[in-house]
Amino acid sequence: MTINRRLFLGTTASITAATSFGVHTSMAADAKSTVNFALVGLGSLSTKQLAPALQQTKHAKLVGIVTGTPSKEKVWADKYGIKQENIYNYDNFDKLSENESIDVVYIVLPNGMHKEFTVRGAKAGKHVLCEKPMANTSDECREMIAACKENDRKLAIGYRCQFEPHNQHCIELARSEKFGSLKAIEAGFGFKIGDPNQWRLDGKLAGGGAMMDVGVYALQACRYISGEEPVSISAQETKTDPVKFAEVDESITWTMKMPSGVICYCSTSYAFNGINRYNAYADKGWFGLEPAYSYKGITGKTSKGPIELESIDQFAAEMDAFAKCILEDRDSTVPGEEGLRDMICVEAIYESIRTGRHIELPRA
Amino acid sequence: MTINRRLFLGTTASITAATSFGVHTSMAADAKSTVNFALVGLGSLSTKQLAPALQQTKHAKLVGIVTGTPSKEKVWADKYGIKQENIYNYDNFDKLSENESIDVVYIVLPNGMHKEFTVRGAKAGKHVLCEKPMANTSDECREMIAACKENDRKLAIGYRCQFEPHNQHCIELARSEKFGSLKAIEAGFGFKIGDPNQWRLDGKLAGGGAMMDVGVYALQACRYISGEEPVSISAQETKTDPVKFAEVDESITWTMKMPSGVICYCSTSYAFNGINRYNAYADKGWFGLEPAYSYKGITGKTSKGPIELESIDQFAAEMDAFAKCILEDRDSTVPGEEGLRDMICVEAIYESIRTGRHIELPRA
C-alpha cells in the first residue's frame, strides 16, 4: 500500500502517479487535515446526531448531502452552508464521481439500501462509512467489501461504541485480565418501538427487526469484550404482536460460545424498554455498562466500584477516527469485515430460530 | 380428603378411624398447633440456617435429627434439647415409623440422596420437606411423589424464595399486570465454588453442577414470575476448568419460551461471582430483584422505583408454611410436582446441550 500512502500524503508526484494508475484522486488533491463528508439519507440520525456531531469533529467536515426529499435541500444548505454543487439525490448519486470536494459518503439509509449505496459510493470513488447493521445479509456485506476493495476505497461501519471511552475501558479491562480470565457476558439492548409505519418494521428495508437494529449492539459488545468470534450460537424468537411485527422479529434471546469457553447470553426486543447493558464476569470480579449503548450517559460499574470517565460525542469520535484513517492511509478498526462478522452471527441466530438447532460456526 | 382433614384435627374418633384405615397417626395424636420436625443431614444449611430458623418458627419445632456423624449428636442434643430417642442415623432411619413425636423429616442431604430418604421417610409415615433440587432426575421425582401419595404423606420442596416477600411481590406485580403484559425475563444465579472436594462437584451425589444447585433458582424464578411452563428450551454449556468440573457442569446459559410468548434467558455458574438476580420486562415497565436468591438482603427495583419490603427469615417462613399445610390438611404451594416441573426443565436443558437442539416440551 506504499503508493496509496504516498497518494494520501498528497504530493504532486503522487497525484500524477495516482492519475496514471487510475486511482481516485479526490483525497490526494491537497495535503489536508480534514476529510469532507456527505451524509447520505437525512433522517433522524443524520439530523439529530450526525450533522451536529460534524460541527465538533476535528478531521471530518460536513460538505455534502444526499437526500430523496427535495424540501430538505434548502433547509440543510442554509443551516450547514452546503453548496448547491454538493447536494445530490438517489438518482444522480453516481455523479459524485465527478465531485472531488467530497471524500466520504456516510450511508445513513435504511439497512436494505446500505449495499446499493456503498457499492455505488465506492464506484464513484468515495470512501464509505456505513451505518450499522452493515447490510441485510452476509452476502451483501461481502459485495460491499469487494466493491470498496476493487475501487481502492476504505470502508468502515458505524460502530460508535468502539470509540466510546467506557466501552473502550471495558475492552481494556478484558484484555488486561484486570479481573482475571473472562468467563461469561450478559448483554442486551431493546426498546419499545413506536410508529408502526416506520421503515424499521418493513422486512425489505430493515432486513430484520430488533436483532438487526439494536441486537447487533449486544452482539458487538460480546465480540469486542471477549475479543473472540462465536463457535456456537443458539437462539429463540418470540412474537407477541404478530401484526406489528409481521415482517420483522420482535424479541430474540440467544447464547453464544466463544473458543476460549467464554459464554454469552443476550437479548433484544422491540416490545419493551429496560434493557440497555452488558456485564462481563471474570474469575476475580466483574465489570459492565448500563446504559451501555445510548448516545449519551454511558455508565459503568465494576466489582471494585464505578467506572468514572467523561462522556463524549460518540458520532464525532467515530467520524474523526475514520477521517484519520483516510488521512493516514490506515484501515479502519471497524472495517467492513467487522460488519460482516456480526452479520454472520446474525444469520446464525436466524438459522437457529428457523431450524431449532444450535449453529456451529467455523473457528476464525 | 375429608377423613384426613378430620384426622389432622385430632379427635379420638378420627384416630380410631385412621388406625383402622391403616393411616399413619403421628400427627393425629393430639390437636396441636405445632408440627415436629427432624432435620435429616446436619451440614452447613441445617447448622447455619435451618436450626436457627426453627427457633423462630411458630408452627414448626425442631425435635429430632438424623445424622451420619456421631460426634454431631451430642452437640445438637445439647444445643437444641434434642431427646436421645429422637436422634437417628441413616441406618436406623426407618425406625422413625415407630416414633410418633416426629411429624416431618426435612431432607437436607446431597441431592443424590433425596429420593432414597424421601421415599424411606414417607414409608416411615413422615411428611417430607425436601431441599431443592428435588432429586437427580425427573424419574426420581416421580418416585418420590408416588411414595408420598401411597403413604398419604405430604411432600414439599424447599423453595424458600416463594415465601420471601420481595419475590412474592414480584409474582403479584406479574399476575396483576401492574406493568402491563410480561414480555421477557432475564434471570441468573451463580457463584465461584471453593473446596474442590465437596459433594457438589461429585456427579453422583450432586446429579449436576451449577445448574442443579443454583441454576434452579433462576429457572424457578422464570416459572413463578411468568406463571407458565416452558414450551421450548435451548441451552449451551461451557467448561473452563475440566478438572474441577470433571463430573458436573460449570457454566450454562439457556433460553426458554413460554406459551404466552414470554421469553426467558438465564445463566448459572460455579466459575464466577456476580450474578444473583432476575428482571422481568413488561409492556409498560420492568421489575426485578438483585440479589434475588440470597438468604438475606433481597433488594428489589421497578421502573417506578425501589421495592421496599421487610426482610424475613425465609427458611422459617418455608417451614411454618409446610407446618400449616399439615395442621390444616392442605397441599403445599410448593409440592413435589413443583420440583418435578423444574427437573423436567433441567433435563431439557441438559438434553439441548447434549444434542445441540432446541427441546420442545408439551404444553402443560
Side-chain angles (χ1 to χ4, degrees):
Chain A
M1 297 294 280
T2 313
I3 191 158
N4 278 329
R5 186 170 171 77
R6 274 182 27 233
L7 278 180
F8 287 112
L9 294 176
T11 63
T12 308
S14 69
I15 293 170
T16 313
T19 309
S20 61
F21 278 94
V23 176
H24 302 286
T25 56
S26 58
M27 271 306 304
D30 52 283
K32 52 191 189 175
S33 63
T34 58
V35 173
N36 293 333
F37 277 55
L39 293 176
V40 184
L42 303 182
S44 170
L45 189 70
S46 285
T47 307
K48 295 179 188 164
Q49 306 300 331
L50 302 181
L54 280 161
Q55 310 314 304
Q56 297 180 39
T57 41
K58 287 178 192 166
H59 305 287
K61 189 180 171 191
L62 175 60
V63 303
I65 52 173
V66 181
T67 176
T69 310
S71 62
K72 290 183 181 175
E73 294 183 8
K74 191 176 177 322
V75 175
W76 279 68
D78 290 350
K79 186 162 186 181
Y80 294 109
I82 313 283
K83 292 180 187 163
Q84 184 57 42
E85 63 262 32
N86 290 343
I87 299 177
Y88 292 81
N89 58 44
Y90 303 129
D91 294 325
N92 66 11
F93 178 85
D94 309 286
K95 295 272 186 193
L96 274 163
S97 63
E98 297 163 11
N99 187 338
E100 294 200 359
S101 64
I102 291 172
D103 306 307
V104 171
V105 287
Y106 190 162
I107 312 297
V108 203
L109 296 164
N111 311 337
M113 299 168 78
H114 287 185
K115 192 261 298 184
E116 176 188 341
F117 282 85
T118 294
V119 171
R120 286 170 67 182
K123 283 185 178 166
K126 304 307 169 191
H127 300 289
V128 181
L129 179 51
C130 177
E131 255 310 305
K132 45 58 53 186
M134 184 171 170
N136 282 8
T137 67
S138 62
D139 279 345
E140 286 187 349
C141 295
R142 291 185 186 93
E143 223 181 299
M144 292 157 77
I145 292 167
C148 290
K149 203 167 184 179
E150 276 162 30
N151 292 281
D152 201 17
R153 298 293 84 185
K154 295 190 188 295
L155 172 60
I157 310 303
Y159 287 131
R160 61 184 164 78
C161 293
Q162 295 213 29
F163 302 96
E164 194 284 320
H166 298 76
N167 279 277
Q168 289 175 327
H169 183 67
C170 286
I171 293 170
E172 173 55 22
L173 290 176
R175 290 303 166 282
S176 66
E177 299 201 337
K178 175 84 181 279
F179 294 95
S181 64
L182 202 59
K183 300 289 181 182
I185 301 169
E186 185 264 317
F189 192 20
F191 69 98
K192 188 172 167 176
I193 203 164
D195 177 13
N197 299 314
Q198 64 188 288
W199 68 262
R200 284 187 164 78
L201 300 174
D202 177 310
K204 207 174 157 194
L205 285 177
M211 184 68 231
M212 288 288 272
D213 186 25
V214 286
V216 290
Y217 285 98
L219 173 53
Q220 263 273 304
C222 292
R223 291 183 49 253
Y224 61 68
I225 293 299
S226 70
E228 297 188 276
E229 300 301 321
V231 287
S232 178
I233 291 184
S234 56
Q236 296 202 58
E237 183 187 0
T238 190
K239 207 167 269 192
T240 63
D241 187 341
V243 176
K244 190 168 188 177
F245 301 102
E247 297 185 20
V248 301
D249 46 280
E250 177 187 316
S251 299
I252 288 176
T253 59
W254 74 99
T255 67
M256 305 190 287
K257 200 169 149 180
M258 302 302 189
S260 70
V262 169
I263 196 159
C264 310
Y265 63 117
C266 307
S267 72
T268 188
S269 181
Y270 269 164
F272 58 87
N273 294 316
I275 301 185
N276 176 344
R277 67 171 182 250
Y278 63 78
N279 284 294
Y281 301 91
D283 192 38
K284 298 170 195 161
W286 53 264
F287 55 94
L289 306 181
E290 181 172 16
Y293 319 106
S294 302
Y295 299 156
K296 290 178 182 174
I298 308 299
T299 304
K301 271 201 299 194
T302 79
S303 47
K304 288 185 177 170
I307 296 172
E308 281 165 354
L309 291 166
E310 271 184 44
S311 223
I312 64 158
D313 187 310
Q314 302 169 39
F315 292 104
E318 165 204 294
M319 290 187 283
D320 263 341
F322 190 48
K324 283 191 78 177
C325 286
I326 291 164
L327 291 168
E328 297 168 9
D329 191 19
R330 289 182 288 100
D331 285 338
S332 166
T333 54
V334 288
E337 288 76 6
E338 180 73 358
L340 170 62
R341 283 188 286 265
D342 273 351
M343 200 51 53
I344 288 169
C345 295
V346 170
E347 288 181 340
I349 287 166
Y350 285 137
E351 187 184 347
S352 176
I353 290 165
R354 203 170 52 241
T355 62
R357 300 191 67 92
H358 297 15
I359 306 303
E360 306 299 320
L361 295 167
R363 284 182 184 240
Chain B
M1 297 294 281
T2 312
I3 192 158
N4 278 331
R5 186 171 169 76
R6 272 177 35 229
L7 278 181
F8 287 112
L9 294 176
T11 64
T12 309
S14 68
I15 293 169
T16 315
T19 310
S20 61
F21 279 95
V23 176
H24 302 287
T25 57
S26 58
M27 269 309 302
D30 52 283
K32 51 192 188 176
S33 64
T34 58
V35 173
N36 292 332
F37 277 56
L39 293 176
V40 184
L42 303 181
S44 170
L45 189 70
S46 286
T47 307
K48 294 179 188 164
Q49 305 300 331
L50 302 180
L54 281 161
Q55 310 313 304
Q56 296 180 39
T57 42
K58 288 180 191 163
H59 306 288
K61 189 179 171 191
L62 175 60
V63 302
I65 52 173
V66 181
T67 177
T69 311
S71 63
K72 290 183 180 173
E73 294 182 8
K74 191 175 176 324
V75 175
W76 279 68
D78 289 351
K79 186 161 187 184
Y80 294 109
I82 313 284
K83 292 181 189 164
Q84 185 56 43
E85 65 261 30
N86 290 342
I87 299 176
Y88 293 82
N89 57 45
Y90 303 129
D91 294 325
N92 67 11
F93 178 84
D94 309 285
K95 295 275 186 191
L96 274 163
S97 63
E98 297 162 13
N99 187 338
E100 295 201 357
S101 65
I102 291 172
D103 306 307
V104 171
V105 287
Y106 190 163
I107 312 298
V108 201
L109 296 164
N111 312 338
M113 300 168 77
H114 287 184
K115 192 261 295 183
E116 177 189 341
F117 282 85
T118 294
V119 170
R120 286 170 68 182
K123 284 184 178 167
K126 305 306 170 191
H127 299 289
V128 182
L129 179 52
C130 178
E131 256 310 307
K132 46 57 55 186
M134 183 171 171
N136 281 8
T137 67
S138 62
D139 279 345
E140 287 187 349
C141 295
R142 290 185 187 94
E143 227 181 293
M144 293 156 77
I145 293 167
C148 289
K149 201 167 185 179
E150 276 162 28
N151 291 280
D152 202 15
R153 297 294 84 184
K154 293 189 191 297
L155 172 59
I157 310 304
Y159 287 130
R160 60 183 164 78
C161 293
Q162 295 214 27
F163 303 95
E164 194 283 321
H166 298 75
N167 280 276
Q168 288 176 328
H169 183 67
C170 286
I171 293 170
E172 173 55 24
L173 290 177
R175 290 303 167 283
S176 66
E177 300 202 335
K178 175 84 181 282
F179 293 95
S181 63
L182 202 60
K183 300 289 181 183
I185 301 170
E186 185 264 318
F189 192 20
F191 69 99
K192 188 173 168 176
I193 203 163
D195 176 14
N197 299 312
Q198 64 189 290
W199 69 262
R200 285 188 164 76
L201 300 175
D202 177 310
K204 208 174 156 192
L205 284 177
M211 185 67 231
M212 288 287 273
D213 186 24
V214 286
V216 291
Y217 284 98
L219 174 53
Q220 262 273 305
C222 293
R223 290 183 49 253
Y224 60 68
I225 294 298
S226 69
E228 297 187 277
E229 300 301 320
V231 287
S232 177
I233 291 184
S234 56
Q236 295 202 59
E237 183 188 359
T238 190
K239 208 166 268 191
T240 63
D241 187 342
V243 176
K244 189 168 187 177
F245 302 101
E247 298 186 18
V248 300
D249 46 281
E250 178 187 316
S251 299
I252 288 176
T253 58
W254 74 98
T255 67
M256 305 189 287
K257 200 170 148 180
M258 302 303 188
S260 69
V262 169
I263 196 159
C264 310
Y265 63 118
C266 306
S267 72
T268 188
S269 181
Y270 270 164
F272 58 87
N273 294 317
I275 301 185
N276 177 342
R277 67 170 182 250
Y278 63 77
N279 284 295
Y281 301 91
D283 192 40
K284 298 170 194 158
W286 53 264
F287 55 94
L289 306 181
E290 180 172 16
Y293 319 107
S294 302
Y295 299 157
K296 289 177 183 174
I298 309 300
T299 304
K301 271 202 298 194
T302 79
S303 47
K304 288 185 176 170
I307 296 173
E308 281 165 354
L309 291 166
E310 270 184 45
S311 225
I312 63 158
D313 187 310
Q314 302 169 39
F315 292 104
E318 164 203 295
M319 290 187 284
D320 263 341
F322 191 47
K324 284 191 77 177
C325 286
I326 291 165
L327 290 168
E328 298 168 7
D329 192 20
R330 289 183 288 101
D331 285 337
S332 166
T333 53
V334 288
E337 288 77 4
E338 180 73 358
L340 170 60
R341 283 187 285 263
D342 273 350
M343 201 51 53
I344 287 169
C345 295
V346 169
E347 287 179 342
I349 287 166
Y350 286 137
E351 187 184 346
S352 176
I353 290 165
R354 204 169 54 242
T355 62
R357 299 191 68 93
H358 297 14
I359 306 304
E360 306 298 321
L361 295 166
R363 285 181 183 240

